[in-house]
Amino acid sequence: MPDLTNETNQTNEIDPPETLSGYGAKRRTALSCMAWAGAGMLWTLSGGVPGSKLLSGTAQAAEVDRHAFSFVQISDSHIGFSKDPNLDPASTLKEAVDKIRASNEKPAFMIHTGDISHLSKPGEFDTAAQIVGSAGLDVHYVPGEHDVLIDDGNSYFERFSKPADKKWYSFDQGGVHFIGLTNVLNMRGGGLGFLGDEQLAWLKQDLTRRSSSTPLVVFAHIPLWSLYPQWGWGTDDSAQALSLMKRFGSVTVLNGHVHQVAQKVEGDISFYSAMSTAFPQPAPGTAAGPGPMKVPADTLRTLLGVRSVNYVPGQMELAIVDTRLSV
Amino acid sequence: MSLFSTLRMARIATLLITTSVAADSAFADVGPAAAVVIDNFLFSPAQLSVAAGATVTWENRDDIPHTIVNDATPRTFKSPPLDSGEKFSEVFIKPGTYRYFCSLHPHMTGTIVVK
């Protein structure tokens, strides 16, 4: 299924706006690669056409900029993994966080879409929390299956859930409604990721109170779309969750788990899988199974990265920028 | 079990019992052993028949942890997370069909048939 996988551009060049305008008008996202520290710009979408903030000089643009915000996504840090191709995922997580810190644009917050640890060990959680915390940002976590290996995930939830939150939660930022879901608990034999009736009932109630014009950003570890069910890359009851969101005009769904950039658009719902900060996995169906892809040391960092998501009020689409640790 | 010499028990316990051998009554009450390996997110063999009393040992050969969890209520066996190279053993006394899966990657399934 190579058509579902859309790798970030290999180049570190930033295309001039003239080049992007025709390209961007047809595409729903700006998926490009840039050096955060070097460029000091974030791509935004204005009228469906990607541009850069430094180039927007009008009063209207300034007003929009005042209410716009960005957040960052990191995923699959797998602290505790120590095999080919990455003997030290703590160092690559640190590189990812350092990239975020070096950005001229301070993100409003960070989300971590799970597999913080490799084996749910307290020391792994501690190391990850310390490195992620060095970004100085509020962090919203959702668990991966590697984080809930012990004690039904209680050791994860005690550490990473905010006091008022249950195993799933929502919050608002700048007019956008964010929903963090857990789809790695109580998974059934022969099945995929699983949300469960209790979480779906909560989601229904949470969304009932929102107007359809509220942009939604939903994040979970395992894809909420059928990316590649043969490898378990999907969620059994995601269709029920997505049907609750159909009346909303702007829905962005972010996930980890697959350790690579992939995207899909279904109606008004856009799905994006993120890179890992630890190791890549093969593209769907291109290997005997998923799992760490053994790549040469000098290419590892071109397959790891972080994501920035930018929201501009009035724009239906959020701009997604995936940045590799090195190019 | 005490009727058998430890030498004989050790020798038999190291044998890999196939379906046809497991059906042999000569092995039925001496606690034969069988193995399932995990490679590329698959249990192999996915279907395994053993004699009652057999010890089945799973070995994780992947670079990712897996678990072996009985898919039944109530659950009769559940392994801790097996990291790469780790093993888990379960003795099957009672005849029956035991389905299991990996609770991290539930699309991974297997069956032990105890005769």
Side-chain angles (χ1 to χ4, degrees), chain A residues 186-231:
Chain A
N186 304 313
M187 292 191 285
R188 296 168 177 181
L192 305 168
F194 187 64
L195 295 163
D197 290 344
E198 188 187 353
Q199 185 166 204
L200 288 167
W202 171 86
L203 179 64
K204 184 177 182 181
Q205 191 176 26
D206 184 76
L207 290 173
T208 299
R209 298 181 302 223
R210 318 288 159 190
S211 80
S212 301
S213 60
T214 307
L216 300 182
V217 174
V218 183
F219 54 105
H221 178 65
I222 296 177
L224 291 168
W225 45 304
S226 285
L227 176 51
Y228 199 62
Q230 296 94 318
W231 283 358

Side-chain angles (χ1 to χ4, degrees), chain A residues 125-147:
Chain A
F125 285 145
D126 285 344
T127 300
Q130 188 178 9
I131 296 169
V132 170
S134 71
L137 297 172
D138 193 15
V139 188
H140 303 276
Y141 292 90
V142 288
E145 72 279 2
H146 287 257
D147 302 317

Side-chain angles (χ1 to χ4, degrees), chain A residues 65-114:
Chain A
D65 281 359
R66 208 157 57 77
H67 296 286
F69 68 92
S70 70
F71 63 96
V72 289
Q73 177 189 5
I74 58 173
S75 199
D76 296 271
S77 42
H78 281 268
I79 300 301
F81 179 82
S82 183
K83 293 185 177 66
D84 194 7
N86 190 349
L87 299 178
D88 186 15
S91 68
T92 44
L93 174 60
K94 187 171 183 306
E95 287 174 40
V97 170
D98 286 347
K99 267 200 183 300
I100 294 164
R101 289 172 62 184
S103 167
N104 288 345
E105 292 280 344
K106 185 174 168 61
F109 57 84
M110 186 191 303
I111 63 171
H112 191 307
T113 44

